[in-house]
Amino acid sequence: MSALVELNAEIERCRNCELAKHRTKVVPGEGPENARLLFIGEAPGWYEDQSGRPFVGPAGQYLDQLIGMIGLKRSQVFIANVIKCRPPDNRDPLPGEIQSCGKWLESQLELIRPKVVVTLGRYSMAKYFPGESISKIHGRARRVNNIIYFAMYHPAAALHQGNLRKVIEADMLKLPGVLAEADAATEEKDKPAQLTMF
Ligand code: URA
């Protein structure tokens, strides 16, 4: 069994917070263990809770289209969420739930070691761009050690506010350049850990 399959099985057994009582299925995330690009959403919604798969409802269909815009298939990227179980009535995740679920996302990042992590929406942005606002930093990247974090609006926000579609699509089209930047940085040997916005 691969390390990622084992980790997913462990996540599926998690009962570390109250959300375990309300869920139908845990939604650990999905994608290849060697994915270069990893997307982090907020939390499963109704469709995801029913199926155990991330981003399979309307926001997910739009995310698939966005991924297609940069010539990739959904099966080539890893898709995860900050929270692995659906909050009742799709309420916002609570700080304690984000805290207790955090170790699963960290373990996924350690195993997959993607080149670029894309945060979708406020909750995943807050993890990697603390204190920032999405309207200010969407479409911008920050490098921490050897991973580049790139902030985007949540696809559901663009579905609800039509004017955000152009913005999210323009940000998506920057990703091939960000990936190329990440590859170039990896080739520079012995580069010290650093934090850069560009
Ligand atoms: N919204 C999210 O943030 N994640 C999902 O998996 C689905 C919708």
Side-chain angles (χ1 to χ4, degrees):
M1 205 196 285
S2 81
L4 192 58
V5 172
E6 261 176 53
L7 175 61
N8 281 359
E10 209 184 328
I11 299 174
E12 281 164 8
R13 289 192 297 269
C14 178
R15 305 205 65 85
N16 290 347
C17 81
E18 286 285 301
L19 295 181
K21 291 188 191 153
H22 305 278
R23 72 189 178 212
T24 310
K25 286 193 175 169
V26 182
V27 184
E30 65 185 20
E33 194 155 346
N34 62 354
R36 296 165 72 230
L37 199 52
L38 184 147
F39 291 86
I40 307 175
E42 180 180 321
W46 187 86
Y47 295 94
E48 292 77 22
D49 176 68
Q50 293 293 309
S51 65
R53 299 182 58 213
F55 279 98
V56 290
Q61 282 158 24
Y62 186 42
L63 180 61
D64 291 353
Q65 280 178 34
L66 291 168
I67 292 169
M69 282 175 55
I70 55 167
L72 292 177
K73 294 194 197 98
R74 179 186 168 104
S75 59
Q76 291 175 290
V77 305
F78 199 91
I79 303 180
N81 280 304
V82 171
I83 296 283
K84 311 301 189 192
C85 297
R86 181 188 181 216
D89 302 320
N90 293 347
R91 66 154 168 74
D92 289 344
L94 301 175
E97 292 161 358
I98 295 174
Q99 167 85 23
S100 74
C101 219
K103 68 169 188 170
W104 298 130
L105 189 56
E106 277 161 36
S107 301
Q108 288 174 318
L109 286 172
E110 272 165 32
L111 264 181
I112 298 164
R113 303 187 71 77
K115 289 275 165 69
V116 176
V117 169
V118 181
T119 64
L120 299 171
R122 284 183 298 139
Y123 285 91
S124 53
M125 178 197 69
K127 271 189 160 309
Y128 305 104
F129 298 84
E132 295 287 358
S133 85
I134 188 103
S135 57
K136 191 169 138 224
I137 61 144
H138 70 87
R140 293 174 69 182
R142 159 181 288 181
R143 190 158 117 214
V144 182
N145 299 331
N146 270 330
I147 298 187
I148 292 182
Y149 297 87
F150 184 79
M152 283 179 56
Y153 280 100
H154 195 287
L159 289 182
H160 297 133
Q161 293 168 254
N163 58 331
L164 283 183
R165 276 182 98 109
K166 266 194 188 146
V167 178
I168 199 170
E169 289 171 14
D171 288 346
M172 192 74 191
L173 291 173
K174 291 183 187 169
L175 273 178
V178 176
L179 271 167
E181 180 93 18
D183 286 336
T186 313
E187 279 158 24
E188 285 178 51
K189 297 247 167 19
D190 304 325
K191 204 168 171 124
Q194 58 178 299
L195 195 72
T196 321
M197 295 289 285
F198 59 87

